């Protein structure tokens, strides 16, 4: 969990640790849930959401009271994500030694992880990256790949920020004796 929590801003961590009732309070007197800390849906139609709430909700439904499977899945997502992002970056920075099949394999692996948690914007960026790599030849559109990779990096950083806040609040609610929130998306 520490790998994910490294993305928390220090002030949020301090307030959550020292004054959880202040951070978690809603005006109506109820506690905020961890879902309050996830990214909002996109403002306009046709734009991929940072996180698909239905997919993420299905992940949350796997949680058992004594088995923190969601924390483990999110931690593994960040660990693998960091590794694969670095591998892709190395491929982009060294085009003379890179190959389209290798880049496609990294994209495929990260896309599978992103799909598992519902990271829609990452999936869209990865699909754009994938379209820059030829299936039949070693050709790569490096300019398109680089631009799509920047989009992927931004999406990944935003997602890490929100998942860190989600996880910190989930942990604090557990410390305070509250059950993890399992949403219903209809």
């Amino acid at each position: 969990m520490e790998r994910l929590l490294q993305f928390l801003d220090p002030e949020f961590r301090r307030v959550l640790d020292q004054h959880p009732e202040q951070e978690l309070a809603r005006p109506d007197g109820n506690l905020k849930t961890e879902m309050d800390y996830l990214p909002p849906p996109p403002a306009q139609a046709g734009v991929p959401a940072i996180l698909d709430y239905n997919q993420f909700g299905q992940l949350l439904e796997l949680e058992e009271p004594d088995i923190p499977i969601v924390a483990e899945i999110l931690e593994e997502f960040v660990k693998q994500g960091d590794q694969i992002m670095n591998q892709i970056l190395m491929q982009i920075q060294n085009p003379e030694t890179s190959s389209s099949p290798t880049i496609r394999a990294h994209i495929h692996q990260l896309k599978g992880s992103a799909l598992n948690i519902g990271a829609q914007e990452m999936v869209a960026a990865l699909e754009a990256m994938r379209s820059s790599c030829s299936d039949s030849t070693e050709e790569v559109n490096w300019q398109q790949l680089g631009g799509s990779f920047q989009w992927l990096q931004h999406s990944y950083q935003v997602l890490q920020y929100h998942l860190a806040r989600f996880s910190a609040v989930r942990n604090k609610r557990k410390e305070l004796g509250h059950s993890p929130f399992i949403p219903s998306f209809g």
Side-chain angles (χ1 to χ4, degrees), residues 4-16:
L4 184 57
L5 295 181
Q6 73 182 346
F7 300 104
L8 280 179
D9 51 283
E11 180 61 15
F12 179 78
R13 182 177 277 203
R14 184 189 67 72
V15 170
L16 191 60

Side-chain angles (χ1 to χ4, degrees), residues 51-122:
L51 192 64
D52 178 329
Y53 280 67
N54 289 322
Q55 179 68 29
F56 195 72
Q58 290 175 7
L59 174 65
L60 294 176
E61 289 173 1
L62 299 174
E63 186 96 321
E64 298 284 332
D66 297 336
I67 305 169
I69 192 161
V70 172
E72 291 172 16
I73 289 171
L74 295 179
E75 188 71 17
E76 188 61 28
F77 170 75
V78 170
K79 179 181 171 189
Q80 283 185 354
D82 289 347
Q83 291 170 351
I84 297 169
M85 294 282 284
N86 286 331
Q87 291 169 343
I88 293 172
L89 181 59
M90 287 181 7
Q91 295 285 311
I92 291 171
Q93 290 174 336
N94 300 296
E96 61 282 346
T97 60
S98 300
S99 71
S100 183
T102 302
I103 296 169
R104 284 195 318 264
H106 293 314
I107 291 169
H108 179 75
Q109 186 179 8
L110 187 54
K111 183 179 173 185
S113 295
L115 282 168
N116 284 338
I117 68 162
Q120 284 184 329
E121 188 176 21
M122 281 185 68

Side-chain angles (χ1 to χ4, degrees), residues 91-155:
Q91 295 285 311
I92 291 171
Q93 290 174 336
N94 300 296
E96 61 282 346
T97 60
S98 300
S99 71
S100 183
T102 302
I103 296 169
R104 284 195 318 264
H106 293 314
I107 291 169
H108 179 75
Q109 186 179 8
L110 187 54
K111 183 179 173 185
S113 295
L115 282 168
N116 284 338
I117 68 162
Q120 284 184 329
E121 188 176 21
M122 281 185 68
V123 169
L126 287 158
E127 287 172 351
M129 289 175 66
R130 174 65 183 83
S131 70
S132 66
C133 299
S134 171
D135 285 332
S136 57
T137 67
E138 292 287 317
E139 291 184 34
V140 176
N141 180 331
W142 293 105
Q143 185 174 1
Q144 180 184 347
L145 183 66
S148 298
F149 184 72
Q150 287 178 347
W151 177 23
L152 175 65
Q153 284 178 309
H154 173 75
S155 175

Side-chain angles (χ1 to χ4, degrees), residues 12 16 24 26 31-39 51 53 56 60 63 70 74 162-174 178-183:
F12 179 78
L16 191 60
L24 298 178
R26 284 190 173 152
L31 283 181
K32 291 179 185 175
T33 70
E34 45 275 42
M35 299 304 286
D36 291 310
Y37 293 89
L38 290 177
L51 192 64
Y53 280 67
F56 195 72
L60 294 176
E63 186 96 321
V70 172
L74 295 179
H162 286 288
L163 291 177
R165 291 173 72 100
F166 169 88
S167 296
V169 169
R170 190 173 187 92
N171 291 342
K172 184 55 71 175
R173 283 179 53 92
K174 285 180 185 179
H178 298 279
S179 298
F181 182 76
I182 307 295

